[in-house]
Amino acid sequence: MLVGGTTLSFPYINSKYYNTNLAPSFYVGGVARIKLNKVLFIEPGLNFNIKRYVFRLPQYMYTAKVKYNPICAEVPVNLTIMLRADKESSFLFNAGPYFAVGFAGKRKEIATQTVSGQQVTVLLKEDLNWGNDRAFDALKPLDFGVQAGVSYQYKRVLFSVNYQQGLTNLQPGAKEGEKYKNRVARIGMGYLF
């Protein structure tokens, strides 16, 4: 089955310095459906997605709007219950873990400061660094979490909504109490072959 749709990221950041905003992006991928019995299936998949993050840094001397556009390969493994509505349509309920690896992406920062009554804006664009070095890296590359969702299938077309909650702290070199975790809602479609 081919799948794709919109992601709405709103990460959990435990910091007094960040104000996060809802950020839309997209995902595409494939899912296999393995039948266990009439109503129970295992659905492993491989998705490529951008879990965009937008947050503001309200500082004493300046303000900054920061956008992360991390590109991740994600492997979800869902246990799915399929309830037939009629001969051509079904409702599906699924839940399970996901594993993700970040491998590319961009970072953009727009900083604004007032100097001598004039507003000065600086734009910074760079590749997103992955790792655990607090000074140089934006995010840790490995993520693990849980997800749950509901879908409606009509013939070979699937409409779905799901939610992902990251369990991994993605903050590089996190100090005590610092947390940065994925929270993503997804709205998508799929086509069964």
Side-chain angles (χ1 to χ4, degrees), residues 58-62:
Q59 301 290 338
Y60 174 69
M61 297 295 287
Y62 70 96

Side-chain angles (χ1 to χ4, degrees), residues 4 34 55 59 65 69 76 84 87 97 104 119 122 127 129 131 155 162 169 171 178 182:
I34 302 165
F55 49 90
Q59 301 290 338
K65 182 177 181 180
N69 292 306
R84 295 248 179 232
K87 288 183 181 181
Q119 191 171 21
V122 177
D127 288 337
N129 292 327
K155 295 184 181 181
N162 83 356
N169 186 357
Q171 175 69 45
E178 288 183 327
N182 277 325

Side-chain angles (χ1 to χ4, degrees), residues 17-28:
Y17 302 109
Y18 300 103
N19 298 321
T20 59
N21 296 5
L22 186 68
S25 195
F26 68 93
Y27 72 98
V28 295

Side-chain angles (χ1 to χ4, degrees), residues 11-15 18 51 53 68 98 100 102 129-134 137-146 165-183:
Y12 170 77
I13 300 176
N14 184 19
S15 173
Y18 300 103
K51 294 182 178 177
Y53 311 116
Y68 286 178
Y98 75 86
N129 292 327
W130 298 91
N132 197 32
D133 188 327
R134 184 179 186 82
D137 298 321
L139 296 168
K140 290 181 183 177
L142 300 178
D143 187 21
F144 169 75
V146 293
Q165 175 63 61
L167 301 176
T168 304
N169 186 357
L170 299 175
Q171 175 69 45
K175 295 180 181 177
E176 188 176 332
E178 288 183 327
K179 291 182 183 169
Y180 191 120
K181 295 183 180 183
N182 277 325
R183 294 186 305 184

Side-chain angles (χ1 to χ4, degrees), residues 51-115:
K51 294 182 178 177
R52 180 174 287 157
Y53 311 116
V54 177
F55 49 90
R56 296 186 183 280
L57 297 160
Q59 301 290 338
Y60 174 69
M61 297 295 287
Y62 70 96
T63 59
K65 182 177 181 180
V66 181
K67 292 181 182 180
Y68 286 178
N69 292 306
I71 301 172
C72 304
E74 179 181 277
V75 177
V77 181
N78 284 319
L79 182 63
T80 301
I81 297 171
M82 180 186 288
L83 303 175
R84 295 248 179 232
D86 57 37
K87 288 183 181 181
E88 296 182 330
S89 62
S90 303
F91 289 97
L92 297 92
F93 303 90
N94 61 52
Y98 75 86
F99 307 90
V101 177
F103 62 90
K106 296 286 184 187
R107 175 181 183 272
K108 179 180 175 181
E109 182 174 342
I110 301 170
T112 305
Q113 182 177 13
T114 302
V115 178

Side-chain angles (χ1 to χ4, degrees), residues 32-44:
R33 184 175 284 171
I34 302 165
K35 186 175 185 175
L36 300 177
N37 60 37
K38 288 183 178 181
V39 297
L40 204 56
F41 299 83
I42 296 286
E43 293 185 331

Side-chain angles (χ1 to χ4, degrees), residues 2-10 22-29 47-50 74 147-152 158-164 183-190:
L2 289 178
V3 295
T6 300
T7 61
L8 300 169
S9 300
F10 48 106
L22 186 68
S25 195
F26 68 93
Y27 72 98
V28 295
N47 297 323
F48 294 94
N49 60 57
I50 297 176
E74 179 181 277
Q147 61 184 12
V150 62
S151 303
Y152 174 74
L158 184 80
F159 303 94
S160 64
V161 176
N162 83 356
Y163 173 78
Q164 293 182 327
R183 294 186 305 184
V184 179
R186 299 198 307 191
I187 302 165
M189 291 182 67

